[in-house]
Amino acid sequence: MATASFIANWKMNKTLAESRDYLNKLQKLLPARAKSGDQVILASPYTALASLAEWIRASSLEIGLAAQNLHFAAEGAYTGEISSSMLYETGCRYVIVGHSERRLHCGETDEMIAQKLAAAGIAHLVPILCVGESEREREQNKTVAVIKRQIKKGLCLGLSSKGHENGPLDLSDCIIAYEPVWAIGTGKTPTPFEVEKVHREIYDYLQSEGVVSEGMPKILYGGSVNEKNISAFMEKAHIDGVLVGGASLSAERFVQMIELGLEAKETVCTS
Ligand code: PEP
């Protein structure tokens, strides 16, 4: 069976009632092959995580749950923040780290992101590390350099003789989402060919850092993915899945994208 990951990033959307409704729709509409395994992950606001976890447990769905952020400290005087162990306790097993909206609006730096990745590892949360260049960096041909810097600093690569120093973080369990900043929520996307090229660069970079011997992180694409363009992305061998924002807010559209994406991945695997 083709394996692929589909992450719905709800951002700051959906009340509890809306989350329940969404899950009911997934229960009815998701194809059987996408109901088991952690191919489908919902990144909901904090307020819905615990309820979603309970509803998922009581359903036939085996989908994963992600938080959209975490704090790097284990506990303490950080008003308004949430720690990795608190997230784990809700039933959440994934966490988005370094989304460009947080880098931009909340001033998150590569160094803070590295601390958050370490905190995720300590609590056994699988981090979904978002990396991507701005429009200006793309115009200046800096895409690969920016992404390598974000991955190197985030994952603390090259800090020890082993090649990396990431504490309890198992890199083979990480997910990397390549999300060009200029493509998020804009309707603009790089071509699937361009995305695949960047994914290869990431793969080669991780290989050169000795990460591959432990198993490769999955590398997903994110940025204005929808029902019309998902197949073209998923047909590429080096694109392991997608992180979808706006278009994932409708359960019907998200399910349609999963169906199209799995179909496209199967074509790659059988050709
Ligand atoms: C995102 O939130 O990471 C994202 C890719 O959003 P959108 O699909 O709306 O571009």
Side-chain angles (χ1 to χ4, degrees):
M1 202 215 302
T3 61
S5 300
F6 302 86
I7 303 178
N9 179 17
W10 290 354
K11 310 194 190 208
M12 197 174 72
N13 291 289
K14 297 207 184 293
T15 60
L16 262 190
E18 288 165 344
S19 307
R20 173 86 243 194
D21 183 54
Y22 192 101
L23 207 64
N24 287 345
K25 286 181 179 156
L26 287 195
Q27 174 93 39
K28 267 196 223 120
L29 302 173
L30 259 191
R33 61 186 171 169
K35 274 190 178 151
S36 64
D38 272 352
Q39 295 178 324
V40 178
I41 298 169
L42 301 181
S44 80
Y46 292 136
T47 46
L49 285 171
S51 300
L52 278 168
E54 210 177 299
W55 298 331
I56 290 169
R57 264 195 300 274
S59 75
S60 61
L61 295 164
E62 280 183 46
I63 60 182
L65 269 185
Q68 298 172 15
N69 180 38
L70 81 167
H71 194 267
F72 50 76
E75 60 186 359
Y78 298 100
T79 303
E81 296 289 348
I82 309 263
S83 74
S84 52
S85 58
M86 291 170 183
L87 292 175
Y88 192 89
E89 196 181 31
T90 65
C92 166
R93 296 292 176 263
Y94 300 84
V95 61
I96 296 178
V97 181
H99 192 282
S100 65
E101 286 157 11
R102 295 203 58 85
R103 291 182 193 255
L104 185 70
H105 304 305
C106 308
E108 288 196 4
T109 61
D110 289 331
E111 289 71 22
M112 289 159 77
I113 288 160
Q115 287 181 283
K116 289 182 177 211
L117 286 165
I122 289 166
H124 305 291
L125 292 175
V126 174
I128 303 160
L129 170 63
C130 297
V131 296
E133 81 286 2
S134 66
E135 188 143 40
R136 192 174 159 78
E137 288 161 342
R138 173 179 160 91
E139 282 161 9
Q140 295 172 337
N141 269 328
K142 289 186 178 161
T143 299
V144 173
V146 167
I147 283 154
K148 280 188 187 169
R149 187 205 73 222
Q150 291 173 335
I151 292 177
K152 181 182 173 118
K153 289 200 171 173
L155 298 180
C156 298
L157 298 177
L159 289 188
S160 75
S161 53
K162 195 176 164 231
H164 59 87
E165 190 58 72
N166 48 18
L169 193 60
D170 180 349
L171 293 182
S172 62
D173 268 352
C174 279
I175 298 175
I176 293 178
Y178 168 51
E179 299 210 302
V181 179
W182 54 272
I184 297 180
T186 58
K188 293 192 275 184
T189 67
T191 65
F193 178 76
E194 286 171 321
V195 173
E196 181 160 62
K197 226 170 124 194
V198 174
H199 284 207
R200 273 176 193 272
E201 291 278 0
I202 295 174
Y203 188 94
D204 290 347
Y205 176 61
L206 292 174
Q207 194 163 42
S208 73
E209 291 287 337
V211 170
V212 177
S213 57
E214 296 177 13
M216 270 298 277
K218 279 190 173 165
I219 308 176
L220 315 186
Y221 168 70
S224 295
V225 174
N226 59 37
E227 317 79 310
K228 294 202 178 91
N229 59 24
I230 190 164
S231 302
F233 288 117
M234 295 296 286
E235 275 163 13
K236 296 289 180 199
H238 282 76
I239 302 181
D240 298 321
V242 287
L243 199 166
V244 190
S248 75
L249 290 177
S250 147
E252 289 86 351
R253 290 183 72 190
F254 189 47
V255 167
Q256 198 188 345
M257 283 184 273
I258 292 167
E259 279 177 339
L260 290 167
L262 286 175
E263 215 174 279
K265 218 16 120 205
E266 267 172 15
T267 320
V268 184
C269 291
T270 51
S271 62

